[in-house]
Amino acid sequence: ETIDRVAELMITIEEFSELLAEETSAIKAANAKAVASLLNRKQFLATHYSRQLTAISERKQGLAELDEGVKAMLNQSWQGFQVRLAENAATLEVAHRATRQVVDIIVGAIKEVQGARVGQGYGGAYGHSAEAGRSTASSFVSVALNKVL
C-alpha cells in the first residue's frame, strides 16, 4: 500500500511542478489573467500534496521497506519540485515588490494631484477645508487600492 501512495505522491508532485512552472512563466510575462486562472488548481494541489505527504510520513515502517530505487526516484522527484517551488516563490516575491513600487508611485502622484487641487480651493468651493478634502482624497485612494490588492 505504501508503494501505491508513493506513486500517487510522485504524480501529484509532477502535476504541481508543472503548474508552478506555468505560473512562474505567467508571472514573468505579467499575465495576471493566466495567474488567476491557476489559483484554484494550485490550492487543490497544495492541499492534496500536503495530505499525501502526511499519510506517507505516518507510515514510517512502510517507507523504510521501500526499494532503494523507489526511494531514489521519490527523492529526485522531490528535489525537482523544490527547485520549481523556490523559483516560483522568488518570482512571486519580485513581482510583489515591483507591483508595490508601482502602486506607491501611483498613490504618491494621485495624492500630490489631489492635494494640489484641494490646496487651490477646490474643496473650499463646497464648504470643505483644504485639510478635510486632502484627508478624504487620501482615504479614497487608500481604500480603492486596498480593494484591488
Side-chain angles (χ1 to χ4, degrees), residues 59-92:
R59 300 177 164 268
K60 294 186 188 316
Q61 182 64 31
L63 283 173
E65 295 173 356
L66 283 176
D67 178 81
E68 290 302 315
V70 173
K71 288 180 186 177
M73 287 174 36
L74 179 59
N75 188 46
Q76 182 179 2
S77 179
W78 188 81
Q79 292 292 332
F81 176 65
Q82 293 304 306
V83 169
R84 290 258 173 98
L85 193 58
E87 180 183 7
N88 182 263
T91 303
L92 281 166

Side-chain angles (χ1 to χ4, degrees), residues 12 15-16 19 40-50:
T12 300
E15 289 176 15
F16 204 174
L19 181 131
N40 286 339
R41 181 80 176 139
K42 184 178 183 180
Q43 184 177 18
F44 169 79
L45 286 171
T47 301
H48 192 58
Y49 168 78
S50 178

Side-chain angles (χ1 to χ4, degrees), residues 12-29:
T12 300
I13 288 172
E14 183 60 31
E15 289 176 15
F16 204 174
S17 291
E18 289 172 7
L19 181 131
L20 290 172
E22 187 177 346
E23 182 184 52
T24 300
S25 294
I27 293 166
K28 287 179 179 179

Side-chain angles (χ1 to χ4, degrees), residues 87-136:
E87 180 183 7
N88 182 263
T91 303
L92 281 166
E93 178 62 29
V94 168
H96 177 74
R97 276 184 285 161
T99 301
R100 179 84 253 156
Q101 289 174 345
V102 170
V103 168
D104 288 347
I105 290 168
I106 292 169
V107 168
I110 290 171
K111 285 180 178 181
E112 187 176 310
V113 168
Q114 288 177 341
R117 286 184 183 160
V118 171
Q120 294 171 358
Y122 178 77
Y126 296 99
H128 303 292
S129 70
E131 190 58 40
R134 189 172 296 116
S135 176
T136 302

